[in-house]
Amino acid sequence: MFHKIRNVAATEDFVLIVQFSEGVTKRYDLNPLFEKIPVFKALQQSADLYYSVEVDVGGYGIIWNDDLDLSCDEIWDNGEAVKTEFDGMLSFGEATFSILQM
């Protein structure tokens, strides 16, 4: 199952805060990837690159450039759920789509 990403924010210490369209927010730590997948070390070497993270077209992942991306499933499966004041809220686009299907 694919989980659509609504928003991503890069924080200090190479941790991402990722909001999903289901109304769930996950904290994803990039640090373990630096040793497992060497191409991710580029994020440590360039703050501009690291902070340029954005949601990929369609919300099925996040992307930095042509070489660096993560799927929504990776973040969903390995991210840590965090409580926010927005938990349980669907995005307007998702809510509109649901209404149209009725």
Side-chain angles (χ1 to χ4, degrees), residues 33-42:
L33 296 182
F34 298 144
E35 293 304 315
K36 287 197 250 180
I37 308 170
V39 70
F40 278 93
K41 287 184 179 185

Side-chain angles (χ1 to χ4, degrees), residues 36-50:
K36 287 197 250 180
I37 308 170
V39 70
F40 278 93
K41 287 184 179 185
L43 299 174
Q44 288 178 307
Q45 298 165 354
S46 172
D48 288 340
L49 177 61
Y50 170 64

Side-chain angles (χ1 to χ4, degrees), residues 80-100:
E80 173 189 353
V82 294
K83 295 285 184 189
T84 72
E85 60 188 73
F86 304 107
D87 288 352
M89 294 179 71
L90 293 175
S91 70
F92 182 73
E94 295 295 320
T96 302
F97 182 71
S98 297
I99 291 169
L100 292 175

Side-chain angles (χ1 to χ4, degrees), residues 46-87:
S46 172
D48 288 340
L49 177 61
Y50 170 64
Y51 286 106
S52 72
V53 65
E54 59 186 30
V55 178
D56 201 1
V57 176
Y60 296 109
I62 59 172
I63 188 167
W64 288 272
N65 60 28
D66 290 340
D67 297 322
L68 293 169
D69 58 31
L70 287 172
S71 74
C72 54
D73 285 338
E74 166 63 21
I75 298 166
W76 182 268
D77 292 343
N78 296 304
E80 173 189 353
V82 294
K83 295 285 184 189
T84 72
E85 60 188 73
F86 304 107
D87 288 352

